[in-house]
Amino acid sequence: MNSTVGDALRATAARYPNRPAFISDEQTITFQELDEKTDLIGAALLDMGLTPGDRAMFQLGTNIETVLVAHACHKAGIIPVCTIPQYREVEIGALGRKSGAKAHFVQADFSQFDLVEFALRMREENPAIEHIVVVRGKAPQGTTAFDTLLGRMPLSDARERLKAVNLGSRDVLTFQLSGGSTGLPKIIPRFHGEYLGHSAAFSHCYKISSDSRIIWSLPIIHNAGQLYALMPPVVLGLTSVLMPKVDIERMLQLIEEHKVTHGLSIGPIAPQLIAYKNIRQHNISSLQLFVTMSRSGKLEEHLGIPCSNLFGITEGLLMGCAPDEPEFARHHTQGASGCPFDEVRVLDPESEKPIEPGTMGELCFRGPSSLLAYYGDDEATAKSLTSDGFFRTGDMVIEHVVDGKSYFAFQGRLRDNINRGGEKIGCEEVEGFISRHPSVSDAKLVAMPDPFYGEKACAYLILHEGYDAPSVKSLAEFLTGQGLAKFKCPERIEIVDSYPVTRVGKVDKVAMRKDIADKLAAEQTANDGVQSD
């Protein structure tokens, strides 16, 4: 079927015109309204001078305006480059140039940081950006206000304009970004047909139907946000409840108010839910499943509803468990793919030799949604694929066979990166920036455990003789001053004279990760002792 996301939205709007598609604290939009407004905005973007195939960077939060802009671009054939509002000069400059972006969407009220002024500065450095569209705020001279796009032409004219856009299931829908271990994120083209199919497959895995309601409080423009919250309404006709930020008490209120059936999350949500003591004050009986990256057993015990772990990678694999699958699979693995056409293998990381179930190896996969190629990066593509087209994730897993079905338990990463609440930090990139600091002779960045984010960054520094160590705050100011995104800055510093090395003389980051984990555990034990006294 040669269907696009725009086709799917039009069909769902015809089937459920008055059903809420997206709900936020600010507004509710029905499928008919969503279809009409995205037609108006999509045609207006073309009228401004953008053309199908043009790229547009997105620095927008989780709100209904972002939904409208994204689906308008999908209809017009404009390709969102899924940057995030936290990116700064380093990331936006490089990604804008590499993607060839001609437009930049920014949210004026996202935070205290002035994204509008930032976009204007970035356009001076990259004149290929012809249009800046300001969402949720005042548009200064030289930019376009989002609200004006809705009134640019009558709906009938907008629909005629969009009829001329020739798109199919194999056309690029969006440019997603990898969480690569080194340097800047790589660009991953994702396609109309495979995103529709991928969203339908994971929904089937979690027993999500047209009558379900999903809640989402993390970035919606991420791969996870689009597959878990943006696409299911279009594909199935269900309702997504959107939150602009993680707020556990408000989340529970919304679950009760809107009879949410499925909570989908990555990052810090599960630990914060577990820490929330007033859970019994909320009626969350509508929930059929809550899915998280880890600790699902503890979360299930706390919430009293089925919970399962998940796994997702932007290169194209989603794994999880249905609420009625075995407890071991839900709590002690990251599940299995919901797509019957996905092939998952565990390979020796140094070869293409399969690893037996029960033994740790590298998770590899291929299927309808798996990476075909990184955009403009043949070398990275070649390194990432096996000779028969399986994508090498760099994630180490153990395959467990339960009742004849394979489930995969995450053990750690082969590559050198940090997963801070779902945001990937490439260690080599940050180390390069830290090493520019006048006090620093050398820097190594490692993951340290964190109860809320899962991992945070710890910097091990060797200082120049006679120089004082920077504080965490001053180092962050230095790094953001260099244009690095704030979430990539280390949140602890350890000063050392040398680094541990392996038997072959390489820096032993495994030992460094163990060192900081042991220090944090000892500090926690000491704090617990003081509190008990």
Side-chain angles (χ1 to χ4, degrees), residues 316-331:
L317 179 67
L318 297 178
M319 297 195 298
C321 289
D324 58 354
E325 291 194 72
E327 183 178 293
F328 178 86
R330 289 189 290 108
H331 296 168

Side-chain angles (χ1 to χ4, degrees), residues 361-520:
E362 184 180 6
L363 178 68
C364 303
F365 68 92
R366 70 179 179 189
S369 295
S370 60
L371 175 84
L372 299 176
Y374 291 112
Y375 179 75
D377 199 333
D378 294 340
E379 182 179 354
T381 301
K383 288 180 179 179
S384 299
L385 299 176
T386 65
S387 59
D388 51 356
F390 278 75
F391 179 77
R392 309 199 72 132
T393 66
D395 292 309
M396 302 298 285
V397 299
I398 293 176
E399 179 182 357
H400 295 279
V401 180
V402 183
D403 296 338
K405 182 176 179 179
S406 288
Y407 299 91
F408 300 88
F410 178 75
Q411 302 297 303
R413 277 179 298 281
L414 185 64
R415 297 171 185 165
D416 192 14
N417 62 17
I418 296 167
N419 186 347
R420 186 188 188 276
E423 299 292 353
K424 305 299 193 302
I425 302 171
C427 292
E428 284 190 25
E429 177 197 17
V430 179
E431 288 165 357
F433 278 92
I434 295 174
S435 295
R436 299 176 186 176
H437 192 282
S439 295
V440 177
S441 173
D442 197 8
K444 298 299 176 188
L445 201 72
V446 299
M448 61 180 178
D450 182 81
F452 286 123
Y453 289 96
E455 294 177 343
K456 287 184 178 179
C458 175
Y460 280 76
L461 305 183
I462 297 174
L463 303 179
H464 288 299
E465 187 175 350
Y467 281 78
D468 294 328
S471 66
V472 169
K473 181 180 178 181
S474 67
L475 182 58
E477 290 171 351
F478 173 81
L479 295 174
T480 55
Q482 300 286 309
L484 194 71
K486 186 176 181 180
F487 73 84
K488 296 181 180 180
C489 297
E491 294 172 78
R492 179 167 174 141
I493 292 172
E494 295 288 321
I495 304 301
V496 295
D497 294 325
S498 62
Y499 301 126
V501 295
T502 66
R503 284 182 294 176
V504 295
K506 293 184 178 181
V507 173
D508 190 349
K509 284 199 169 182
V510 173
M512 295 164 74
R513 287 192 289 267
K514 183 179 185 303
D515 176 67
I516 189 59
D518 289 345
K519 286 180 177 178
L520 290 170

Side-chain angles (χ1 to χ4, degrees), residues 198-424:
H198 208 178
S199 187
F202 105 80
S203 298
H204 177 75
C205 173
Y206 293 146
K207 296 194 171 180
I208 294 171
S209 70
S210 61
D211 296 322
S212 300
R213 288 197 164 188
I214 289 168
I215 194 163
W216 186 256
S217 60
L218 296 162
I220 197 169
I221 209 64
H222 266 188
N223 184 61
Q226 293 201 42
L227 286 170
Y228 290 149
L230 185 66
M231 291 298 163
V234 171
V235 175
L236 298 174
L238 58 78
T239 301
S240 279
V241 180
L242 303 180
M243 299 179 63
K245 62 180 180 179
V246 177
D247 180 332
I248 297 302
E249 182 176 11
R250 185 61 186 143
M251 176 184 288
L252 293 166
Q253 291 169 351
L254 290 170
I255 289 170
E256 181 174 353
E257 179 181 348
H258 297 296
K259 302 294 187 290
V260 171
T261 61
H262 290 77
L264 303 170
S265 73
I266 57 175
I269 293 176
Q272 291 187 43
L273 271 170
I274 293 168
Y276 184 78
K277 297 180 179 179
N278 298 322
I279 192 71
R280 301 300 166 220
Q281 296 180 5
H282 303 275
N283 180 1
I284 58 172
S285 59
S286 62
L287 277 177
Q288 300 169 15
L289 179 68
F290 205 102
V291 188
T292 180
M293 289 178 70
S294 61
R295 301 182 71 186
S296 62
K298 188 71 174 177
L299 185 62
E300 181 169 316
E301 180 183 334
H302 187 62
L303 296 181
I305 59 106
C307 297
S308 77
N309 295 328
L310 61 79
F311 174 91
I313 188 168
T314 311
E315 282 82 356
L317 179 67
L318 297 178
M319 297 195 298
C321 289
D324 58 354
E325 291 194 72
E327 183 178 293
F328 178 86
R330 289 189 290 108
H331 296 168
H332 298 287
T333 80
Q334 272 56 49
S337 173
C339 177
F341 305 109
D342 277 341
E343 301 173 78
V344 181
R345 292 179 182 171
V346 181
L347 302 180
D348 172 65
E350 300 298 327
S351 71
E352 297 185 9
K353 179 183 177 182
I355 298 292
E356 292 296 319
T359 305
M360 187 167 63
E362 184 180 6
L363 178 68
C364 303
F365 68 92
R366 70 179 179 189
S369 295
S370 60
L371 175 84
L372 299 176
Y374 291 112
Y375 179 75
D377 199 333
D378 294 340
E379 182 179 354
T381 301
K383 288 180 179 179
S384 299
L385 299 176
T386 65
S387 59
D388 51 356
F390 278 75
F391 179 77
R392 309 199 72 132
T393 66
D395 292 309
M396 302 298 285
V397 299
I398 293 176
E399 179 182 357
H400 295 279
V401 180
V402 183
D403 296 338
K405 182 176 179 179
S406 288
Y407 299 91
F408 300 88
F410 178 75
Q411 302 297 303
R413 277 179 298 281
L414 185 64
R415 297 171 185 165
D416 192 14
N417 62 17
I418 296 167
N419 186 347
R420 186 188 188 276
E423 299 292 353
K424 305 299 193 302

Side-chain angles (χ1 to χ4, degrees), residues 29 49 52 74 87 92 114 141 196 229 236 354 361 371 377 385 443:
I29 189 167
H74 298 157
Y87 280 165
I92 292 298
D114 191 340
Q141 186 175 0
L196 292 172
L236 298 174
L371 175 84
D377 199 333
L385 299 176

